[in-house]
Amino acid sequence: MSTDPSPALILASGSAARAAMLQAAELPFRVVRPRVDEAALRDALLAEGHDARAIADALAEMKALRVSAAHPQALVLGADQTLDCEGRLFSKPATPEEARAQIAALAGRRHRLVSAAVLAEGGRPVWRHVAEARLTMRPLSEGFIAAHVARHWEAIRHSVGAYRIEAEGVRLFERVEGDPWTIQGLPLLPLLTFLIQRGVLDA
């Protein structure tokens, strides 16, 4: 993360994974966590019949706009990720029991991860991108799932679907279609392309 007190980009997210991706790309930014009731908005959008793609995009936009209203001179990045398995949307697990249940529900099945990013400036969206990845999880035994959750609970509790594919969670899968950044929650390459075009980054 940049030590510059006012870098051009604000990350409107408390996600350590997204911050790590921006850090790895050596992109100057600072974090301002948005005050957004994500669960309430997600439930409302679900009740209205919106799909995983629309929900991720709407949540990313809300985060970006909420922070942009207070920091109108900056580019504000909001992001969100949804997981859809056969029409069922998953959220971050609240307990180890819920994490075990989520992995068990995904085991032996193919699911879709949707990662959305929205940049706002002056209180309005100026760029957005939604990317998808499709992952097929291996059939897994109850014992393996329980041991995996016990070892990694503190890390996976912040991950929709209760896994981190960038760590031991990769062992859960037999097939992955999509780039690693989308899977981790941010369509990084399209974001970098836009920031280069805007002159925020050198190329």
Side-chain angles (χ1 to χ4, degrees), residues 49-70:
H50 293 283
D51 64 8
R53 189 179 183 91
I55 291 172
D57 183 57
L59 285 166
E61 180 176 297
M62 173 176 272
K63 295 172 190 178
L65 293 180
R66 185 64 56 87
V67 173
S68 182

Side-chain angles (χ1 to χ4, degrees), residues 38-56 58-59 82-84 87-91 112:
E38 294 184 46
L41 178 58
R42 184 178 287 108
D43 289 346
L45 291 169
L46 274 172
E48 293 170 5
H50 293 283
D51 64 8
R53 189 179 183 91
I55 291 172
L59 285 166
T82 54
L83 187 159
D84 172 29
R88 174 186 170 189
L89 263 61
F90 287 64
S91 300
R112 179 171 64 122

Side-chain angles (χ1 to χ4, degrees), residues 80-102:
D80 195 75
Q81 184 179 67
T82 54
L83 187 159
D84 172 29
C85 182
E86 300 175 0
R88 174 186 170 189
L89 263 61
F90 287 64
S91 300
K92 297 173 184 177
T95 64
E97 292 76 19
E98 188 174 333
R100 291 194 293 271
Q102 286 195 12

Side-chain angles (χ1 to χ4, degrees), residues 122-135:
R124 64 182 183 87
V126 295
W127 175 87
R128 68 196 328 121
H129 189 87
V130 181
E132 295 189 13
R134 296 180 184 273
L135 300 87

